[in-house]
Amino acid sequence: MFCHLKNVVFLLSLGASLQSFSCSALPQQRNSSGYAALETRDAKDPTPRIITYHQTIYSKGDSQYVPILPLVGTGVTHINIGAIHLNENEGDIRLNDHAPWHERFVPLRRDIGEVQKSGIKVFAFLGGAARGTYWRLSRPGEFEKYYEPLRDMLATWNFDGLDLDIEEPVSLQSVIRLIDRVKQDFGPDFLITAAPVAPALLTGGYNLAGFNFFDLEKERGDDIAWYNAQFYCGHAQASDTTDYERIISHGWDPAKVVMGVCANPQLAQGSSVFDLPQIHARPPAPALLEALSLAELDTPSWDLSDNLTTAKPRIDPDGLARYLTGIVASKLSWIPDESDREKIWEQASLRLSERSGRTAMPPVSRSFHIKTNLGTTIEIKLHEPSLTSDNLGLKTWASSFLLAQRLHLLAQHPPFSSRPRTLELGAGTGLVGISAAAIWGAHVYLTDLPTIVDNLAANVQANDAVLTSSTTPPSPPASTRRTSGRGGATTGVLDWADTANAEDRRFHRFTVILAADPLYAPEHPQMLVDTIIRWLAREEMARVLMEWPLREAYASEGAHCRVLMEEAGLALLEQGEEIGYDDWSEASWRGGGLEEIKCWWGMWGWKSSVEEVTAMDRGD
């Protein structure tokens, strides 16, 4: 769901006993529309309903299965399983991080059948905070491409319904098309629900989707069984019926509005700025420091496995900047200890800088989980210093993460299976080169400009354990082995504009060259290609792997680079496009979500035979 909460219970206040969930029973009150807030009514399914979202399918480091059978007999009427995501590549559907037919889901599918026998209905929920699923379904001419794997999963798993958790801007018509197709394929008894934030059910209320839910109800209300409204994380209050009554007063049938609250109350505390200690109340130093700790933003991650496991409560950004500046401006005269006052001012200033875009941020650290060819993942930890406009290599970019995630697909194929000598150009924070060393068992020479290399070297050293426990399988036969032992990494300065080191004997030609997001200026394509030609081995299996975002501002540089590569005697062997996520925009750090980035990747090799290329290199 929106806050990545793992245990969310949606309780229908209409006749549902909330006392069993450590809440007070709600009094019966009539609103201006004449509805009784606790009246039980029929919609597409009998009320009351008690619905739980089940997303933590494995716990304790992904090693212990979390069963749903204990929910039988508790009063739970519906279980929503997810989150389901439709990724860019055709047929790539995921339940959290794995394909739905993965063996890890065998016990879950068995449990689903058992709880359905008890009368509990089991839904799949589609989408959530990790954006892209509904955008792909809405792209012109591509609906069938992304819908078919979803349809097949719903049928194979025998779900009773589908919950639409739309938290990205899409058109109403694209949602109607999805609803109509699901109803066509699964019939009238297959239930469809939606999960808007509670204010989306108010006239003029804010919304995470790109359409109006009143219009959706008007167009397809008969096909939507109910709405699982998110009342947590600052979207609305569930401590009494006030916000629920407001929604009903806007014309909604109370049988179709489910109040969503947190199963773990601790996850919902401090979700609004008004829940934090206020300066006018002269709160003590520990209370203010605790509030500022709650307001700390986690480093945004475009690693979806991280996004799906974040359980930190979210404070609604509305009014938070004013709250923080109020603390900074206050003399805090009621706090006697000067060191406590300094800590509070410092923490409030940091919280403001976190919300002022990446260039205003203090240094950050990130962890990336990279897939290996053994079906496991490795964790690479990277430090990113504070940024300036001249040192963009101090940030890890979306294309680097995507290229690093591609390396395991190549590990069983030559030359990557032979632990090739590898050079990374413009290595930045080192994610791609460190990943290649660990996955391929290769020795990788990571290079960049002098201002970047110190941090690059520190990141390589910090991941020494990953490199010394390389994930490569046993060495191939000696006849094909290019290096021996575990993977390794070396860092150094390599300026593409400096041709004086072309014959530097510290370097030898490399079988593989890597480059991610290397083009930022009109002169870069020529400099990059010249450097590749200088250092790429004259071997039939020599390869260049490149990936960069398809930024409109640098489209000409990308096209020019590809032309220059072909003119230099290299052929594009494989290519493709994929979607990644990045946090460069200021909105990402203000809680507005990650920016979706479309990237191009390509693998190049020599057009001619080794002899012809060598002769060309000599100028024969």
Side-chain angles (χ1 to χ4, degrees):
M1 302 303 293
F2 181 67
C3 294
H4 314 290
L5 300 176
K6 304 311 248 180
N7 298 299
V8 181
V9 177
F10 282 86
L11 306 174
L12 184 65
S13 63
L14 312 175
S17 172
L18 305 185
Q19 290 176 314
S20 61
F21 290 86
S22 302
C23 301
S24 300
L26 301 178
Q28 290 197 13
Q29 300 175 349
R30 291 193 176 274
N31 58 43
S32 58
S33 299
Y35 292 116
L38 296 182
E39 176 186 359
T40 300
R41 306 178 123 227
D42 288 330
K44 299 293 183 183
D45 205 40
T47 58
R49 308 184 192 95
I50 300 178
I51 306 165
T52 181
Y53 278 73
H54 182 66
Q55 189 170 350
T56 305
I57 299 171
Y58 282 84
S59 66
K60 294 186 177 180
D62 208 36
S63 63
Q64 182 171 318
Y65 171 65
V66 180
I68 59 175
L69 285 177
L71 294 173
V72 174
T74 63
V76 167
T77 58
H78 301 77
I79 301 173
N80 289 359
I81 303 290
I84 296 173
H85 303 285
L86 303 176
N87 294 331
E88 182 66 13
N89 294 333
E90 186 171 0
D92 187 3
I93 182 173
R94 299 298 174 101
L95 173 52
N96 295 332
D97 294 330
H98 297 82
W101 52 85
H102 193 283
E103 61 182 8
R104 67 189 278 114
F105 297 127
V106 170
L108 175 62
R109 295 181 64 178
R110 181 182 61 243
D111 281 3
I112 288 175
E114 292 300 317
V115 300
Q116 286 174 325
K117 291 178 183 177
S118 74
I120 296 175
K121 292 187 177 181
V122 182
F123 286 40
F125 74 89
L126 179 69
R131 300 180 174 188
T133 291
Y134 292 94
W135 174 73
R136 294 183 181 100
L137 285 167
S138 68
R139 290 201 306 221
E142 296 193 355
F143 176 82
E144 295 295 332
K145 171 182 174 181
Y146 294 106
Y147 172 75
E148 287 180 5
L150 171 64
R151 177 201 61 200
D152 293 344
M153 180 188 177
L154 295 175
T156 303
W157 282 57
N158 195 32
F159 284 116
D160 299 300
L162 177 66
D163 183 59
L164 306 180
D165 190 358
I166 307 170
E167 300 186 12
E168 55 187 303
V170 292
S171 69
L172 174 63
Q173 289 307 313
S174 68
V175 177
I176 288 176
R177 176 173 58 183
L178 175 60
I179 292 171
D180 289 349
R181 185 59 182 276
V182 170
K183 283 295 185 180
Q184 174 185 325
D185 289 342
F186 293 91
D189 294 332
F190 189 88
L191 300 180
I192 297 176
T193 59
V197 294
L201 302 182
L202 298 172
T203 303
Y206 72 84
N207 191 352
L208 300 180
F211 59 88
N212 188 304
F213 276 88
F214 288 85
D215 293 338
L216 177 62
E217 178 67 7
K218 179 180 179 181
E219 294 291 330
R220 289 297 183 274
D222 290 341
D223 293 324
I224 298 175
W226 63 84
Y227 296 88
N228 295 317
Q230 300 180 37
F231 276 64
Y232 49 87
C233 291
H235 296 307
Q237 293 295 321
S239 56
D240 59 30
T241 62
T242 302
D243 285 349
Y244 185 88
E245 293 283 339
R246 286 181 62 205
I247 290 173
I248 302 308
S249 71
H250 282 245
W252 293 96
D253 183 342
K256 293 193 68 172
V257 179
V258 177
M259 177 184 286
V261 299
C262 298
N264 182 349
Q266 292 181 350
L267 295 176
Q269 291 177 354
S271 58
S272 168
V273 69
F274 299 108
D275 296 323
L276 302 177
Q278 302 298 307
I279 288 295
H280 65 79
R282 302 166 72 89
L288 279 174
L289 288 170
E290 181 181 1
L292 292 170
S293 176
L294 277 175
E296 182 179 5
L297 285 178
D298 290 331
T299 304
S301 174
W302 46 96
D303 182 342
L304 296 187
S305 63
D306 286 345
N307 291 340
L308 292 171
T309 56
T310 301
K312 185 176 179 179
R314 169 186 177 271
I315 296 178
D316 193 292
D318 289 346
L320 187 55
R322 178 177 296 180
Y323 176 81
L324 295 171
T325 53
I327 294 175
V328 173
S330 173
K331 295 181 179 179
L332 305 178
S333 56
W334 64 92
I335 297 176
D337 192 319
E338 183 178 355
S339 64
D340 283 345
R341 295 197 297 270
E342 291 290 344
K343 288 179 184 176
I344 292 169
W345 288 324
E346 178 185 11
Q347 290 301 308
S349 299
L350 285 173
R351 299 296 86 80
L352 281 170
S353 72
E354 290 168 358
R355 291 162 171 83
S356 300
R358 180 63 184 93
T359 54
M361 277 290 295
V364 299
S365 296
R366 306 181 194 267
S367 292
F368 295 90
H369 298 90
I370 305 300
K371 298 174 184 177
T372 75
N373 53 306
L374 302 181
T376 59
T377 61
I378 52 175
E379 182 180 16
I380 296 176
K381 298 179 180 180
L382 301 177
H383 176 73
E384 297 181 7
S386 298
L387 298 184
T388 68
S389 59
D390 295 328
N391 287 329
L392 298 180
L394 296 175
K395 180 191 180 305
T396 310
W397 298 93
S399 57
S400 296
F401 177 66
L402 292 174
L403 185 55
Q405 291 286 38
R406 183 167 296 280
L407 301 180
H408 76 284
L409 301 173
L410 306 172
Q412 299 300 324
H413 306 284
F416 313 101
S417 58
S418 302
R419 300 182 175 180
R421 293 188 70 256
T422 301
L423 170 67
E424 184 179 8
L425 301 174
T429 59
L431 179 60
V432 177
I434 295 170
S435 300
I439 296 170
W440 297 343
H443 189 91
V444 181
Y445 198 90
L446 296 87
T447 65
D448 214 307
L449 296 172
T451 53
I452 306 297
V453 166
D454 285 348
N455 183 66
L456 176 60
N459 281 338
V460 168
Q461 184 175 2
N463 289 280
D464 183 66
V466 174
L467 298 174
T468 55
S469 59
S470 171
T471 62
T472 53
S475 300
S479 60
T480 62
R481 188 168 64 245
R482 301 303 301 271
T483 62
S484 60
R486 299 298 190 183
T490 307
T491 61
V493 174
L494 182 56
D495 187 341
W496 305 346
D498 181 9
T499 59
N501 64 4
E503 300 303 325
D504 191 331
R505 294 306 178 186
R506 292 175 303 167
F507 296 91
H508 299 282
R509 294 191 186 274
F510 296 86
T511 305
V512 174
I513 292 181
L514 304 168
D517 210 344
L519 307 175
Y520 287 93
E523 64 270 19
H524 284 174
Q526 187 69 63
M527 293 164 61
L528 175 62
V529 174
D530 288 347
T531 305
I532 289 172
I533 300 307
R534 188 176 305 142
W535 297 117
L536 185 62
R538 272 45 178 174
E539 301 172 1
E540 183 178 356
M541 294 307 299
R543 294 291 183 264
V544 180
L545 291 175
M546 313 171 81
E547 182 145 0
W548 57 66
L550 295 174
R551 301 186 185 97
E552 184 176 351
Y554 297 103
S556 60
E557 281 81 357
H560 188 205
C561 183
R562 292 173 61 167
V563 170
L564 292 174
M565 290 285 281
E566 294 211 10
E567 290 178 350
L570 289 159
L572 185 57
L573 306 177
E574 294 184 44
Q575 65 172 319
E577 295 180 359
E578 54 189 341
I579 298 295
Y581 299 89
D582 214 330
D583 60 359
W584 181 245
S585 68
E586 184 176 323
S588 299
W589 293 87
R590 291 187 172 184
L594 295 173
E595 180 183 5
E596 194 170 75
I597 305 293
K598 190 173 186 178
C599 296
W600 173 88
W601 65 269
M603 181 165 64
W604 301 77
W606 292 113
K607 293 180 184 177
S608 310
S609 68
V610 175
E611 292 78 9
E612 291 173 327
V613 170
T614 303
M616 180 178 62
D617 187 48
R618 291 197 307 263
D620 294 352

